[in-house]
Amino acid sequence: MNLLEDLENNGTQQMDLLNFDHQANVIPNVDFYNAIVVNEFMNNRIVEVKDGEVVKEGYITKYKLYLVRTKKQGGEWETEVSRRFSDFEWLYQELINKYGGYIIPAIPEKHLLTKVNLASYEFSEKRRKDLQQFLQRILHHHHLRYVPELRIFIEDKEKFISLLKGELEQNKTIEQKCDNLLQSVKTLWNSSTLTTKGQDPAKMFDGSEKDLTYDETLLLSLSMKGTKLKTVVEEHVITLREEAKTLNDQNEALYSWNGLGSASEDDISQFKQLKYNNEIRQRKINREIEDIDRKFIPKLQNCLFEIEWALTACKRRRNLQQQLLIDQQRIEQLKMQYTDNSSRRDLEMDVLKTKYQKNKDRSDKMSIIMQDELLSFITEMKQQLKAIIEEWRSIMKILSKNIIEDDNE
């Protein structure tokens, strides 16, 4: 058994021990209490990601190190490690590959100009915050905070994570060889490939995953509602900014106007009152914009991000189910082929069957996890979005009240 398999088995066993039936009249064994002791370390944990040193080769930036430290809520910092962005990518991919049925937050995207942008404070600060939020969300997750890969990530100082990353690359190479072998066999037998009529994998998939379609429909509905609200809010902020600019332009015009010397006292008084009212209204608008930008929009955006991550989890299972149907179809095609030399056909069938069974086990596990995960998640998101909509209605009432008061003044 390799390191990754050993980690996966241990992590799965520990999480299974924590999921015993509290209603059943069963006494947990000693392993259950050992799991409680081991995993207590990961409960109520806070993480901080700080900028570390930038490693360079000559004048070229090679990579940047981040200082990752964690502690119990209200306690002292207990763990501290240095991590590269590729280490965060390793953790993310491990979570996706092994625990893909759960809703896993995304990490910042990596692009060609990343090394150049590291010199920018705005880019570096945003990436640091995004990486910290990624880890904090994992530590808050009811299952993922117990997986061994996460604990290795936040604790290991002995370069064990580098060994795992190397082993992961080795596994990728082996899988790539299998894929290349499959492709070679398919190419050789392309002339004898049979097409089974009426076996469109997409149609087969849509018909067999009604529960997934229903979950995705609910999530898409929530996403559309949240996106529509975000558009309304952003348009309202644009309107407020335009109004603030208009008031500012009016005041600047009043400041620069030289005709007050010949105006009557009543006119001068009206100009001063108008300027005063404009300044009061402008300050209120700026406070309202600041509150919306700083408090409301981030709350709504986080809700939309979480819904997007849930839809990504649904897509992972959908893609896996579709691949199962494609492989099953190919296996049936191979069974119908007759040839003098069947060794190549049998080789492809053996590889496909092994791959199919592995993906089938993974798919079944994901389905069980997502059935419970999405049920509670969708309920929570409905409540969050409802509260956000009510909050926006309250903000609009306050804005309307302020406008009426300004008019009265």
Side-chain angles (χ1 to χ4, degrees), residues 281-293:
R281 175 61 183 157
Q282 190 175 358
R283 283 198 292 269
K284 285 184 179 180
I285 289 175
N286 290 335
R287 284 198 301 269
E288 291 160 3
I289 292 174
E290 183 181 357
D291 287 342
I292 293 172
D293 283 343

Side-chain angles (χ1 to χ4, degrees), residues 207-220:
S208 63
E209 286 292 310
K210 292 181 180 179
D211 60 324
L212 175 58
T213 303
Y214 179 69
D215 291 339
E216 284 186 298
T217 300
L218 290 177
L219 289 170
L220 285 170

Side-chain angles (χ1 to χ4, degrees), residues 13 50 57 97 117 122 130 147 149 152 158 161 163 165 182 197 202 208 235-236 264 271 281 352 358 397 404:
Q13 290 170 7
K50 300 176 68 176
E57 288 184 352
N97 294 335
N117 290 334
E122 291 78 10
D130 289 344
V147 301
E149 292 81 5
I152 286 174
E158 305 300 327
I161 191 171
L163 178 62
K165 286 166 63 180
L182 273 173
K197 295 182 179 180
S208 63
E235 289 177 350
H236 183 73
S264 66
F271 276 119
R281 175 61 183 157
L352 275 173
K358 181 179 178 181
K397 287 180 181 178
I404 293 173

Side-chain angles (χ1 to χ4, degrees), residues 322-338:
Q322 191 163 4
Q323 186 59 52
L324 284 172
L325 292 169
I326 293 173
D327 291 343
Q328 186 178 30
Q329 182 182 38
R330 179 57 182 165
I331 291 172
E332 294 301 321
Q333 290 175 350
L334 290 171
K335 287 180 181 178
M336 298 175 64
Q337 292 179 358
Y338 297 94

Side-chain angles (χ1 to χ4, degrees), residues 50-113:
K50 300 176 68 176
D51 282 333
E53 63 176 315
V54 176
V55 179
K56 295 185 176 181
E57 288 184 352
Y59 295 100
I60 301 175
T61 298
K62 189 175 181 183
Y63 58 86
K64 185 173 188 175
L65 287 173
Y66 296 94
L67 187 66
V68 179
R69 58 181 187 172
T70 68
K71 66 176 181 179
K72 283 286 190 180
Q73 193 166 8
E76 300 292 331
W77 296 110
E78 298 174 344
T79 69
E80 184 174 300
V81 293
S82 294
R83 292 287 179 255
R84 299 174 54 175
F85 182 77
S86 62
D87 298 331
F88 285 88
E89 288 182 309
W90 170 82
L91 176 61
Y92 177 73
Q93 288 301 326
E94 285 292 282
L95 296 176
I96 291 295
N97 294 335
K98 294 183 181 178
Y99 316 102
Y102 294 109
I103 298 171
I104 300 171
I107 60 173
E109 293 184 358
K110 192 173 184 178
H111 50 79
L112 294 175
L113 297 178

Side-chain angles (χ1 to χ4, degrees), residues 36 61 80 94-95 153 200 216 260 263 272 394 396:
I36 289 292
T61 298
E80 184 174 300
E94 285 292 282
L95 296 176
F153 183 89
D200 183 355
E216 284 186 298
L260 287 177
K272 288 182 177 179
S394 299
M396 293 304 295

